[in-house]
């Protein structure tokens, strides 16, 4: 890549998968009318070789198809009217693009059909051959020419010729001509005759057309004169004058273009988007001989469609990416199957545009932005899609299949594509910006002050923190020393206790769960004593013995408390676990009694 | 209706007025057919695509027809339903040579028959399988098959092959329509 390019790398973020529920095209609830299906139409083509146009200016649009035939023979330019084939013209080579355009201002304004095939563009008017444009020949390798000249004068034999050509092939900057490459492929016995047959003709190096499009000359009108834009195998983009068929502009690309899209006007400003075989998109503009922007895709492009100002490109790894015309990535959709073809659905009456994607799973998906709007199931894998005015119907979808079938569907007059987001993902509300209030002066002053005194503030904070920790540690030690914690840390009697109060009053049930946490040392001779306000509470037994505590087991000890007050006040009850003969408790628990909700027992 | 009017009606002096809607896709020949039904001195020579609708009048032996000749173009088809209430009969013209758009005609007919103003009324529908003169036009039987006319059970309907340019088959259809309207009234 040249350094002048601003490379934009697509960021991968897997956020959407095949949506769960999207309206499938079935018989009853479809947006499409099945106008025609001929599985044996014998039509083998791609989207770039189909075009719709009003050929005879009679208000009835025809379908022009560059039929690839078997790939070796039967290449034809076919014209369909309604459901039947109207005319066909034989083509000499495989068509790589079919476009319709207006060549001149002459009345009647019949559109011309341009068919790109090999190094030629055949222009038809009224379905009759009108003009043939040939791409200019490329420079020939001088060394190669010398070698062939020597062969012509019989100065070298075919074997020497072969060796010399191989040497040139390995070293030279300019590639060999097709003739030399063919010669190098031959067996020894065939060489002699090949050389004798061809040596008298000068060698030529010819490039071929890979893709073709149209660009309005100086007006944006529907019926304005258009230039042809072609991409070639020699990684060049040519813009041809519609009347004289001279090359108006020539631009170079870093790779061979496979798909192109053109927008704008030649005399004003235009953009040509090229999807190239090196897996990059290049965007060319007027007055620049080299690409202005480059978008590096993660895989090979298999289709290119422009929706308004955005570029939607289909990739071989079953994804659909959208970019702005400056190369900023907008979204990615992951498809359930690989892409076979792509096309634009432009419903002019509603100003609605969407991308049609033909998939290998015998479906055509319709995407508006990244939302899947409609799925058309087809009886065979679709290889070309074309939407527009056909016959007298404005919204007609024409598809051809892998098996050579022709499918024509008409969009219902009442059909409206719902533009709801059908893909799972973050909710819409997430994208809504919160209205954050403006920064007040106080806030600004405060932050300024914080910034200036950061070190002092940190020191003060640290000192306070240490003080706090120290105080906490002291309180903890004090609690342990006074055995006022519910856990006993005495080595001989490791005990743990928690208390549960049940009931709504005035009688409460107090359950003390006492556990000996030592490993193998049972506790004996333990006592429990309660301390409470005798005006508020009364207990049957406020002092009793606990049985032997086996290590590890939980001993629930239940006792009842009566609340004597009906004034809605509550107090603390303290529980002490004591050892016989010692006045300092082993552990202490404070029970916050709840307010008695029932009336005092009368 | 006054006594005098009724008397005149019985004597065939004053004819009963009937409102008829003429529907069908664009370029099916609605205006051409209506034009041909008008008295020869009122016919026009050049037919242009109808914008919106035209109101035409013609008389048969016992009825006076007022026809709403609606435009068939896609963008005007939503006007049709506003006139359904007034129509006492429907003439639906189909271009028999346009196989591609037969489904569109079928769809529009379906929409028409399911409209609340039409659905529960027993109004006669006359179909013209027009453009019989075109070389590979479908026959009236084939058209009725493709349009699934046999599924219309609750309304009288009739299909006749026609050639709007020459006027062939039109009289047959209008006679049927007249019989139906008179039968409906009694």
């Amino acid at each position: 890549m040249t350094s002048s390019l601003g490379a934009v790398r697509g960021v991968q973020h897997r956020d959407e998968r095949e949506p769960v529920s999207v309206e499938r095209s079935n018989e009853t609830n479809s947006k499409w009318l099945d106008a025609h299906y001929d599985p044996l139409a014998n039509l083998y083509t791609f989207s770039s070789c189909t075009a719709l146009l009003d050929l005879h200016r009679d208000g009835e649009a025809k379908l022009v198809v560059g039929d690839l035939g078997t790939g070796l023979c039967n290449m034809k330019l076919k014209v369909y009217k309604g459901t039947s084939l109207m005319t066909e013209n034989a083509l000499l080579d495989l068509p790589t693009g079919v476009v319709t355009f207006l060549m001149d201002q002459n009345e009647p304004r019949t559109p011309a059909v341009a068919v790109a095939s090999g190094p030629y563009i055949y222009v038809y008017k009224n379905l009759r051959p009108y003009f043939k444009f040939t791409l200019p020949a490329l420079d020939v390798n001088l060394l190669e020419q010398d070698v062939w000249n020597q062969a012509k004068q019989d100065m070298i034999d075919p074997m020497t010729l072969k060796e010399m050509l191989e040497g040139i092939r390995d070293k030279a900057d300019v590639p060999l001509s097709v003739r030399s490459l063919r010669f190098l492929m031959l067996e020894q016995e065939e060489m002699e005759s090949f050389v004798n047959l061809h040596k008298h003709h000068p060698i030529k190096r010819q490039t071929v057309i890979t893709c073709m499009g149209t660009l309005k000359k100086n007006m944006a009108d529907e019926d304005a004169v258009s230039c042809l834009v072609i991409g070639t195998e020699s990684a060049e983009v040519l813009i041809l004058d519609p009347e004289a068929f001279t090359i108006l502009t020539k631009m170079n690309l870093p790779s061979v273009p496979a798909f192109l899209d053109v927008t704008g006007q030649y005399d004003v400003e235009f953009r040509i988007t090229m999807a190239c075989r090196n897996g990059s998109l290049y965007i060319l503009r007027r007055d620049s001989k080299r690409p202005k922007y480059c978008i590096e895709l993660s895989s090979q492009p298999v289709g290119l469609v422009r929706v308004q100002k955005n570029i939607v490109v289909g990739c071989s790894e079953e994804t659909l990416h959208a970019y702005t015309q400056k190369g900023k990535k907008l979204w990615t959709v992951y498809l359930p199957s690989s892409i076979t073809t792509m096309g634009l659905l432009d419903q002019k009456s509603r100003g609605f545009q969407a991308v049609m994607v033909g998939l290998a799973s015998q479906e055509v998906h319709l995407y508006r932005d990244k939302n899947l709007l409609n799925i058309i199931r087809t009886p065979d894998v679709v290889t070309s899609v074309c939407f527009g005015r056909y016959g007298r119907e404005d919204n007609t979808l024409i598809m051809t299949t892998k098996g050579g079938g022709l499918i024509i569907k008409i969009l219902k007059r009442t059909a409206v594509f719902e533009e709801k987001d059908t893909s799972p993902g973050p909710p819409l509300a997430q994208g809504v910006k919160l209205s954050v209030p403006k920064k007040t002066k106080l806030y600004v002053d405060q932050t300024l002050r914080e910034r200036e005194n950061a070190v002092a503030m940190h020191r003060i904070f640290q000192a306070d923190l240490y003080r706090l920790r120290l105080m906490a540690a002291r309180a903890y030690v004090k609690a342990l020393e006074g055995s006022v914690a519910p856990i006993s840390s005495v080595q001989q009697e490791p005990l743990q206790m928690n208390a549960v109060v049940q009931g709504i009053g005035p009688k409460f049930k107090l359950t003390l769960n006492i556990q000996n946490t030592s490993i193998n040392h049972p506790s004996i001779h333990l006592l429990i004593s309660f301390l409470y306000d005798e005006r508020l509470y009364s207990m049957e037994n406020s002092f009793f013995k606990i049985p032997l505590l086996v290590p590890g087991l939980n001993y629930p000890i239940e006792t009842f408390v009566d609340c004597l007050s009906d004034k809605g006040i509550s107090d603390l009850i303290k529980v002490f676990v004591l050892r016989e003969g010692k006045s300092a408790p082993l552990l202490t628990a404070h029970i916050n009694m709840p307010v008695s909700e029932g009336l005092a027992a009368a | 209706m006054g006594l005098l009017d009724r008397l005149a009606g019985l004597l065939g002096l004053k004819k009963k007025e009937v409102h008829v809607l003429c529907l069908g896709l664009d370029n099916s020949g609605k205006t051409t057919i209506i034009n041909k039904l008008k008295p020869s001195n009122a016919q026009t020579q050049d037919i242009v695509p109808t914008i919106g609708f035209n109101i035409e009048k013609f008389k048969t032996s016992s009825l006076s027809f007022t026809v709403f000749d609606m435009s068939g173009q896609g963008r005007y088809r939503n006007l049709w339903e506003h006139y359904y209430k007034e129509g006492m009969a429907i003439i639906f013209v189909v271009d028999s040579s346009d196989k591609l758009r037969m489904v569109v005609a079928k769809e529009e007919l379906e929409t028409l028959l399911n409209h609340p103003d039409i659905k529960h009324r027993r109004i006669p529908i006359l179909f013209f399988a027009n453009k019989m003169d075109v070389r590979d036009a479908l026959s009236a039987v084939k058209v009725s098959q493709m349009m699934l006319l046999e599924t219309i059970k609750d309304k009288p309907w009739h299909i006749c092959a026609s050639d709007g340019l020459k006027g062939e088959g039109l009289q047959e259809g209008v006679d049927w329509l007249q019989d139906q309207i008179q039968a409906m009234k009694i």
Side-chain angles (χ1 to χ4, degrees), chain A residues 404-420:
Chain A
L406 174 68
I407 304 168
I408 303 177
K409 284 176 184 283
I410 295 174
L411 188 63
K412 281 186 191 172
R413 180 169 61 89
T414 51
V416 180
F417 292 107
E418 285 169 34
E419 289 194 46
K420 62 173 186 223

Side-chain angles (χ1 to χ4, degrees), chain A residues 33-34 392-393 412-413, chain B residues 27 77 101 103 107-108:
Chain A
L33 297 170
D34 294 316
R392 300 187 61 89
E393 201 59 45
K412 281 186 191 172
R413 180 169 61 89
Chain B
N27 200 38
R77 275 179 226 158
R101 293 209 299 159
V103 273
E107 174 74 15
E108 293 297 348

Side-chain angles (χ1 to χ4, degrees), chain A residues 174-478:
Chain A
V174 183
L176 292 184
S177 66
V178 178
R179 189 210 293 180
S180 304
L181 292 173
R182 175 92 188 112
F183 174 74
L184 292 179
M185 281 167 64
L186 293 175
E187 297 294 326
Q188 203 167 349
E189 55 268 27
E190 296 168 315
M191 286 179 180
E192 184 85 47
S193 56
F194 184 87
V195 173
N196 288 332
L197 185 64
H198 293 286
K199 67 183 177 187
H200 296 293
H201 307 287
I203 54 169
K204 279 193 288 187
R205 210 158 64 82
Q206 191 62 279
T207 183
V208 294
I209 300 169
T210 56
C211 50
M212 180 165 65
T214 57
L215 168 63
K216 294 267 187 286
K217 186 96 197 313
N218 45 27
M219 279 189 289
D221 303 353
E222 191 90 317
D223 59 344
V225 173
S226 301
C227 306
L228 288 180
V229 181
I230 51 177
T232 68
E233 191 67 44
S234 54
E236 281 175 334
V237 180
L238 307 176
I239 300 178
L240 305 182
D241 183 80
E243 276 176 290
F245 284 96
T246 50
I247 296 170
L248 292 173
T249 304
K250 189 174 184 177
M251 291 179 272
N252 290 308
L253 286 171
S255 176
V256 182
F259 301 95
L260 62 73
D261 178 83
V262 190
T263 169
Q265 293 149 50
Y266 180 76
D267 289 342
V268 186
E269 171 65 330
F270 60 84
R271 277 165 202 269
I272 303 174
T273 311
M274 289 282 185
C276 292
R277 287 191 203 149
N278 63 352
S280 295
L281 293 180
Y282 295 100
I283 298 169
L284 300 145
R285 288 176 65 175
R286 191 184 146 85
D287 301 329
S288 66
K289 293 277 164 208
R290 303 210 138 261
K292 177 95 174 147
Y293 301 104
C294 164
I295 303 165
E296 290 180 3
L297 302 168
S298 47
S299 61
Q300 294 287 315
V302 292
L304 179 72
V305 169
R306 182 174 45 83
V307 183
Q308 271 125 24
K309 282 191 168 176
N310 299 336
I311 306 156
V312 179
V313 60
C315 287
S316 57
E317 50 173 19
E318 304 180 4
T319 51
L320 207 58
H321 304 284
Y323 296 92
T324 63
Q325 57 183 0
K326 286 198 171 156
K328 185 173 172 256
K329 184 163 179 168
L330 294 173
W331 47 261
T332 298
V333 169
Y334 294 87
L335 301 165
S337 181
S338 54
I339 299 171
T340 53
T341 188
M342 284 172 66
L344 177 72
L345 184 146
D346 186 5
Q347 196 183 358
K348 294 196 177 79
S349 57
R350 289 185 200 272
F352 173 83
Q353 289 195 327
V355 181
M356 298 179 288
V357 186
L359 298 175
S361 56
Q362 305 194 355
E363 284 176 334
V364 176
H365 284 200
L366 188 67
Y367 286 94
R368 157 107 189 175
D369 289 340
K370 62 176 184 178
N371 304 328
L372 178 57
L373 299 180
N374 191 244
I375 296 173
I376 303 166
R377 299 197 158 275
T378 51
D380 193 1
V381 177
V382 167
T383 56
S384 86
V385 288
C386 186
F387 184 90
R389 184 178 169 85
Y390 182 55
R392 300 187 61 89
E393 201 59 45
D394 276 326
N395 302 315
T396 311
L397 173 63
I398 296 171
M399 300 180 276
T400 63
T401 66
K402 206 174 178 180
L406 174 68
I407 304 168
I408 303 177
K409 284 176 184 283
I410 295 174
L411 188 63
K412 281 186 191 172
R413 180 169 61 89
T414 51
V416 180
F417 292 107
E418 285 169 34
E419 289 194 46
K420 62 173 186 223
D421 191 349
T422 48
S423 56
L428 273 179
Q430 193 171 310
V432 178
K433 276 198 173 164
L434 296 171
S435 59
V436 182
K438 274 185 90 175
K439 287 173 186 164
T440 58
K441 190 173 180 299
L442 184 69
Y443 172 82
V444 174
D445 290 350
Q446 191 75 0
T447 43
L448 211 64
R449 194 174 67 81
E450 281 174 14
R451 209 178 298 158
E452 280 164 3
N453 305 313
V455 177
M457 284 168 75
H458 180 72
R459 278 193 191 131
I460 294 168
F461 171 76
Q462 287 295 326
D464 285 351
L465 185 66
Y466 283 127
R467 202 165 291 157
L468 184 71
R469 281 179 183 158
L470 181 65
M471 279 168 73
R474 272 184 190 150
Y476 184 62
V477 168
K478 200 178 166 192

